[in-house]
Amino acid sequence: MYVSSFKPTIMFFRMTNSPATFQAIMNEILRDLINKGKVAVFVDNVLVRMETEEGHDKIVEEILRRLEKNDLYIKLEKCMWKVRKIGFLGVVIGPNRIEIEKKKVDEVLS
């Protein structure tokens, strides 16, 4: 399993409710990939999960092309590419399972 995470950005000026608007934009741009279960989007986080490296590369390339076409940009320092495990919203997504971050478990236990 290969997982990548990246954060597209856009500058909203004088706009209220920017996170919801940005989520709607991302949902529209990536709707077909989301519906197929290949991509998950949560506001400014895009997660790609594929079983094969070739499939993963194709999806990432397609996403980056769509973001560029819509004048959205990513910061490379906030990206993770082709990792086996990734932390996301307090959980760790791995090859065959999703588990709670160890730090969160330790906080609850103490």
Side-chain angles (χ1 to χ4, degrees), residues 9-62:
T9 59
I10 188 172
M11 297 301 292
F12 290 114
F13 297 102
R14 295 185 205 164
M15 219 173 149
T16 59
N17 208 14
S18 292
T21 302
F22 191 74
Q23 179 73 55
I25 290 169
M26 295 302 296
N27 286 344
E28 184 61 32
I29 292 170
L30 302 173
R31 180 172 312 286
D32 62 320
L33 299 175
I34 294 168
N35 290 342
K36 291 177 184 174
K38 297 178 178 185
V39 175
V41 178
F42 181 74
V43 187
D44 66 345
N45 289 288
V46 178
L47 289 177
V48 179
R49 181 187 176 277
M50 294 294 291
E51 295 300 324
T52 65
E53 187 172 359
E54 298 79 26
H56 183 271
D57 292 345
K58 277 180 60 175
I59 295 295
V60 169
E61 187 177 315
E62 176 63 19

Side-chain angles (χ1 to χ4, degrees), residues 59-81:
I59 295 295
V60 169
E61 187 177 315
E62 176 63 19
I63 291 168
L64 294 176
R65 187 186 62 73
R66 291 182 190 190
L67 293 176
E68 182 179 33
K69 179 180 174 187
N70 289 279
D71 294 322
L72 296 168
Y73 308 94
I74 60 171
K75 289 188 174 187
L76 291 176
E77 63 270 10
K78 291 186 175 183
C79 300
M80 297 178 71
W81 308 98

